Amino acid sequence: MRLMLIEDDPQLGKAIYQGLKQEHTTDWFKSAEEGNAVVYETPYDIIILDINLPGISGIEWLQSLRARKVDIPVLLLTARDTLHQKIEGLDAGADDYLVKPFDFDELLARIRALLRRKAAFVNNELQYKNIVIDLAAKTVTKDGQPIAISGKEYEILHMLLDNIGRCLSKEQIEQRIYNWDDELGSNTIEVYISTIRKKLGKELIKTMRGIGYIVVRDT
């Protein structure tokens, strides 16, 4: 999963960013203008948005996103805690609202809730043949047996199983699982794909030469 964080406070922004990076690919921007430059080209799963920003406010930017039919879930972060201000944020198109100061574990819980709502997985599992992903625990089993899998391997597998029957290019996978400041080797994705095949079966992920990777729909 890839998150966008827009928070102009340097200390709070850094703390949230460092915490989120432990579980999710995260990009941190300090203004709505910075976020606007990339939001239409990057496949974000959630936007975590401060309301009080320099320049364009969080509310104004959120309204512009919704006016342009951007349906990425948005979690507002703000020091405003009156009922009127909460209603203003939700009416602008926010999906959730968290008042500062907040506990970081609550932020993670709200992110998980938004991801579940977005994915619409009622039982919180994604299954393909004998392979099951537990979306809450971020674990993988095959034939009921746990499979040791790294964070990046999990993200790639999740992305491919969430797009069964659709070929994903190397660039699409990189955009989803890496931060802007990550340094990538030319064959990094190929290495992860190879490792996933060794753990879950070489026939699971097909290579479409010159196009990308696909998990073929089970017929």
Side-chain angles (χ1 to χ4, degrees), residues 156-208:
I156 293 172
L157 179 64
H158 183 186
M159 188 176 180
L160 288 168
L161 293 188
D162 200 25
N163 289 274
I164 291 176
R166 178 186 172 195
C167 187
L168 302 179
S169 69
K170 176 182 174 182
E171 289 73 22
Q172 286 175 307
I173 296 173
E174 287 176 343
Q175 281 189 341
R176 180 59 63 88
I177 70 170
Y178 284 106
N179 303 304
W180 286 102
D181 54 355
D182 285 336
E183 294 184 7
L184 305 181
S186 60
N187 66 336
T188 301
I189 299 301
E190 288 89 341
V191 171
Y192 282 131
I193 294 291
S194 176
T195 305
I196 294 171
R197 285 171 173 156
K198 290 178 181 177
K199 294 179 178 181
L200 298 174
K202 63 180 181 180
E203 298 301 320
L204 173 64
I205 302 172
K206 308 290 185 182
T207 299
M208 306 291 287

Side-chain angles (χ1 to χ4, degrees), residues 3 17 28 34 37 40 96 103 108 120 133 142 150-151 155 171 192 195 199 201 213:
L3 310 182
Y17 174 64
W28 174 28
E34 289 181 4
Y40 300 103
D96 201 357
D103 188 277
L108 292 178
I133 294 180
K142 180 180 180 182
S150 73
E155 293 291 346
E171 289 73 22
Y192 282 131
T195 305
K199 294 179 178 181
Y213 301 97

Side-chain angles (χ1 to χ4, degrees), residues 31-46:
S31 70
E33 288 86 349
E34 289 181 4
N36 202 58
V38 300
V39 71
Y40 300 103
E41 302 174 358
T42 307
Y44 289 109
D45 295 287
I46 288 180

Side-chain angles (χ1 to χ4, degrees), residues 125-134 138-149 157 161 199-200:
E125 289 185 347
L126 183 59
Q127 182 170 1
Y128 177 77
K129 296 183 179 180
N130 59 344
I131 297 170
V132 178
I133 294 180
D134 185 318
K138 291 189 175 182
T139 57
V140 178
T141 60
K142 180 180 180 182
D143 295 322
Q145 299 301 311
I147 303 297
I149 193 167
L157 179 64
L161 293 188
K199 294 179 178 181
L200 298 174

Side-chain angles (χ1 to χ4, degrees), residues 76-81 86 97-102:
L76 287 180
L77 299 180
T78 180
R80 303 177 181 180
D81 60 358
K86 291 180 181 179
Y97 199 106
L98 191 56
V99 177
K100 304 174 184 176
F102 53 83

